[in-house]
Amino acid sequence: MAFNWTCPHCKNKTTVNKDDHSQDESMLHINNTDGTKYLVIDWIVCPNTECKKLSLYTSLHEYTFRPHIWEKGDFIKEWTLLPDTKANIFPDYIPLPIRQDYEEAYAILELSPKASATLSRRCLQGIIRDFWGVKKGRLVDEINSIEDKVDPLTWKSIDAIRKVGNIGAHMEKDINLIIDVEPKEAQLLVQLIEMLFEEWYIHRYERELKLNAIVGVAEIKDEAKKKKE
């Protein structure tokens, strides 16, 4: 059965059919303290001919015996095995330490949400300090200091993180402090960082390219005009 999918390697949105997808199941019947389990394994090869990279996912479910039949039960957890991180690849003009914190935060998102959130908070502070040149000591103060520098919706998104569970409660403390967070909270932080990379670094870079191109054309025209005079 065909389904829509975004390749984690090339980021292209595509449709995966039976020629690109293989699924296997494994059922655990051995007596144990955790009960019977049902494992689903999904292999996907990107249909994009310029990519064709492999992705591998697994999901764990309960294995339930209903009247006269065993069947897949409630979902428990899922893992992305290939690629080993879901992190996007961002341009080199974003400082390396900031990109490394983001990539590591994404790599351990499922394994340790609280460690991921710690790296994301440090990455967020690094972004604000690098892009806006502010350094107030506490992340919460640095967020407040750029309120009049960014568009209201972007700042509202950043500020909203302070209102999310334990992240918000510890935003005023040391960014390296490891706190307990829910997986969804850690995911929100990573998504915020990706948005800031796009909205600030990439948009600024593309804007500069366009403006420099305009200036370059104007200079060429001006030189040509001078030669005719």
Side-chain angles (χ1 to χ4, degrees), residues 114 117-119 121 170 173-180:
K114 62 183 180 181
T118 300
L119 283 165
R121 284 158 65 229
H170 292 82
K173 298 183 179 181
D174 180 5
I175 56 167
N176 293 312
L177 175 68
I178 296 178
I179 57 175
D180 287 327

Side-chain angles (χ1 to χ4, degrees), residues 161-173 179:
I161 292 296
R162 291 192 293 180
K163 302 173 183 177
V164 178
N166 287 321
I167 292 175
H170 292 82
M171 192 67 82
E172 300 177 358
K173 298 183 179 181
I179 57 175

Side-chain angles (χ1 to χ4, degrees), residues 24-28 37-41 58-61 79:
D24 298 301
E25 296 89 19
S26 177
M27 284 70 78
L28 174 67
K37 295 291 181 283
Y38 189 105
L39 184 71
V40 179
I41 304 167
T58 64
S59 60
L60 186 65
H61 307 256
W79 298 266

Side-chain angles (χ1 to χ4, degrees), residues 191-218:
Q191 290 174 345
L192 171 64
I193 289 166
E194 291 175 333
M195 182 197 76
L196 295 182
F197 282 166
E198 292 281 348
E199 294 290 330
W200 292 354
Y201 288 97
I202 294 177
H203 284 188
R204 179 180 66 179
Y205 180 79
E206 292 177 348
R207 179 176 181 273
E208 289 176 351
L209 284 181
K210 291 177 182 178
L211 292 177
N212 286 331
I214 293 171
V215 171
V217 170

Side-chain angles (χ1 to χ4, degrees), residues 90-109:
F90 285 98
D92 291 344
Y93 52 76
I94 298 175
L96 180 60
I98 293 175
R99 284 185 284 122
Q100 287 177 330
D101 278 348
Y102 157 73
E103 291 167 2
E104 290 180 26
Y106 220 140
I108 61 172
L109 183 60

Side-chain angles (χ1 to χ4, degrees), residues 31-56:
N31 185 37
N32 66 90
T33 56
D34 295 314
T36 52
K37 295 291 181 283
Y38 189 105
L39 184 71
V40 179
I41 304 167
D42 286 287
W43 302 87
I44 301 177
V45 175
C46 179
N48 178 9
T49 56
E50 296 181 358
C51 179
K52 301 299 288 184
K53 288 187 178 294
L54 176 66
S55 295
L56 175 61

